[in-house]
């Protein structure tokens, strides 16, 4: 089955073509240059740029796959969670194509896409076996999910406030490092001492696998306000910030691995590009005998290949959500608990 995937939940307009489980093309148009001056995504600007970018991105995905719309058998589109205005652009385009071409259309949860993205690095007949634990860490989401089977997910915990990528971005903005902040902090941190500045690590008592980053952000703000760092002190501060955020992610994930006893962990989302997080998570995994998988970089950040894959099982089973499907900004993935 040839599936066209469409993704527009945040600030990336993306389309991909998946052919019998094999990725034929994946095109992402980033809006970093649009939102950079603001230090974060401006929702209204994001939806306007999706309107401008979406059709050319779909055309590019089809032409890179060397197919035209006639060859498409079904459409998978992100229907949540995300920015409502952004989601609606991708969803409307998907509905338009589905109606004009009389194609089945399925709505895919963006988080399911992130959980399954690593399978695009593997042969279609050899997906990561269930059960596995998924840690999703991006600019919009931070959560731990137990994937028990295809379409069977449980949310073990998620952030009570900011996403971890947002914490990277806000600290970077505070230090004048530009947007997106994660890569800028990582670059500086490579020259710094992670133990140089003492920063708090939030541990929540209730909901043991939940995260919280807003107190951390305030602590960094307070520190910078009390003692503005000289330029040559920035690498130490960046390394300490990165270490604290990584500690919080690794600590909670290790507890969830111990409690669930699963043998595999998938780490996905933009922050999973972080080299320190990768190294620390890989070390923790080898200590626990857990296989730790990171999708390749282009599949960690938002893309439509993971959405096409997320919709493939249902499209192949003949399902069709039809034109009545709506976008849901807070669409949950799996039951909590
Ligand atoms: O998944 P993504 O591309 O978009 C969504 O938010 O859905 O993630 C973007 C986030 C940003 O917050 C960015 O600062 C962070 O991922 N990021 C990183 C790194 N690369 C991207 N954070 C830490 N270290 C990195 N190397
Ligand atoms: Zn995402």
């Amino acid at each position: 089955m040839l599936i066209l995937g469409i993704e527009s939940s945040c600030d990336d307009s993306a389309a991909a073509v998946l052919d019998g489980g094999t990725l034929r093309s994946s095109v992402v148009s980033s809006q970093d240059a649009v939102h950079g001056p603001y230090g974060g995504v401006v929702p209204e600007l994001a939806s306007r740029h999706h309107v401008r970018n979406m059709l050319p991105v779909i055309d590019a995905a089809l032409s890179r796959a060397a197919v035209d719309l006639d060859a498409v058998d079904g459409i998978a589109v992100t229907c949540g969670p995300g920015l409502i205005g952004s989601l609606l652009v991708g969803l409307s385009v998907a509905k338009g194509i589905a109606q004009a071409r009389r194609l089945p259309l399925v709505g895919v949860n963006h988080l399911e896409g992130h959980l399954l993205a690593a399978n695009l690095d593997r042969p279609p007949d050899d997906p990561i076996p269930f059960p596995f634990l998924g840690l999703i860490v991006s600019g919009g989401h931070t959560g731990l999910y137990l994937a028990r089977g295809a379409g069977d997910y449980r949310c073990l915990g998620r952030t009570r406030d900011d996403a971890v990528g947002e914490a990277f971005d806000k600290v970077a903005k505070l230090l004048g490092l530009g947007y997106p902040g994660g890569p800028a902090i990582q670059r500086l941190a490579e020259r710094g001492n992670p133990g140089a500045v003492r920063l708090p690590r939030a541990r929540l008592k209730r909901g043991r696998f939940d995260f919280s980053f807003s107190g951390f952000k305030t602590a960094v703000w307070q520190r910078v306000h009390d003692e503005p760092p000289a330029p040559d002190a920035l690498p130490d501060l960046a390394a300490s910030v990165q270490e604290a955020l990584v500690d919080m992610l690794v600590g909670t994930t290790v507890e969830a691995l111990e409690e669930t006893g699963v043998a595999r962990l998938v780490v996905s989302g933009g922050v999973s590009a972080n080299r320190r997080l990768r190294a620390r998570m890989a070390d923790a995994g080898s200590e626990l005998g857990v296989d730790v998988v990171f999708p390749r970089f282009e599949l960690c950040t938002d893309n439509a290949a993971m959405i096409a894959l997320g919709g493939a099982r249902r499209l192949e089973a003949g399902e069709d959500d039809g034109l009545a499907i709506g976008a849901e900004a807070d669409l949950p993935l799996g039951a909590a608990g």
Side-chain angles (χ1 to χ4, degrees), residues 26-264:
S26 177
V27 175
V28 180
S29 170
S30 158
Q31 299 181 13
D32 282 353
V34 174
H35 304 285
Y38 304 95
V41 176
V42 183
E44 181 55 31
L45 286 178
S47 16
R48 277 195 240 169
H49 280 81
H50 284 307
V51 170
R52 196 174 296 164
N53 297 340
M54 198 42 99
L55 291 178
V57 164
I58 292 172
D59 280 343
L62 292 170
S63 86
R64 274 184 215 177
V67 295
D68 59 26
L69 266 183
D70 292 337
V72 173
D73 299 307
I75 301 176
V77 62
T78 308
C79 59
L83 301 170
I84 194 71
S86 290
L87 288 165
L88 283 171
V89 178
L91 195 60
S92 306
V93 170
K95 285 183 187 180
I97 300 173
Q99 186 175 34
R101 300 280 169 155
R102 302 195 186 290
L103 290 172
L105 169 72
V106 295
V108 176
N109 186 308
H110 180 84
L111 301 174
E112 179 175 16
H114 275 306
L115 284 183
L116 299 179
N119 285 334
L120 291 161
D121 286 329
R122 303 163 65 104
D125 57 357
D126 181 31
I128 295 166
F130 295 109
F132 62 84
L133 193 70
L135 173 69
I136 300 177
V137 281
S138 75
H141 313 283
T142 302
L144 270 167
Y145 298 87
L146 180 62
R148 294 183 288 200
D152 180 6
Y153 307 105
R154 198 153 68 93
C155 177
L156 300 184
R158 56 195 191 121
T159 183
R160 301 271 182 93
D161 38 63
D162 294 344
V164 65
E166 229 175 323
F168 272 105
D169 293 339
K170 286 179 178 167
V171 170
K173 186 176 177 182
L174 183 68
L175 302 178
L177 302 177
Y179 174 86
I185 288 186
Q186 170 175 289
R187 230 173 291 123
L188 265 180
E190 269 152 19
R191 296 189 277 118
N193 169 9
V197 183
R198 276 170 62 100
L199 293 167
R201 276 89 168 133
R203 296 314 295 261
L204 299 171
K205 289 188 192 71
R206 278 191 322 120
R208 282 184 45 224
F209 304 123
D210 279 349
F211 301 90
S212 169
F213 299 103
S214 72
F216 174 79
K217 189 186 61 192
T218 309
V220 177
W221 181 88
Q222 195 67 54
R223 167 101 202 175
V224 170
H225 179 79
D226 293 347
E227 232 178 281
D232 64 355
L234 283 180
D236 279 352
L237 183 55
S240 305
V241 163
Q242 175 176 268
E243 201 65 12
L245 292 171
V246 167
D247 269 349
M248 290 187 253
L249 295 174
V250 173
T252 305
T253 305
V254 163
E255 281 177 23
L257 285 168
E258 285 169 346
E259 176 147 324
T260 56
V262 297
R264 282 162 290 269

Side-chain angles (χ1 to χ4, degrees), residues 7 9-10 110-111 114 136 138-141 269-270 300-303 306:
E7 151 69 35
S9 64
C10 188
H110 180 84
L111 301 174
H114 275 306
I136 300 177
S138 75
H141 313 283
C300 283
T301 51
D302 285 351
N303 65 86
M306 67 183 194

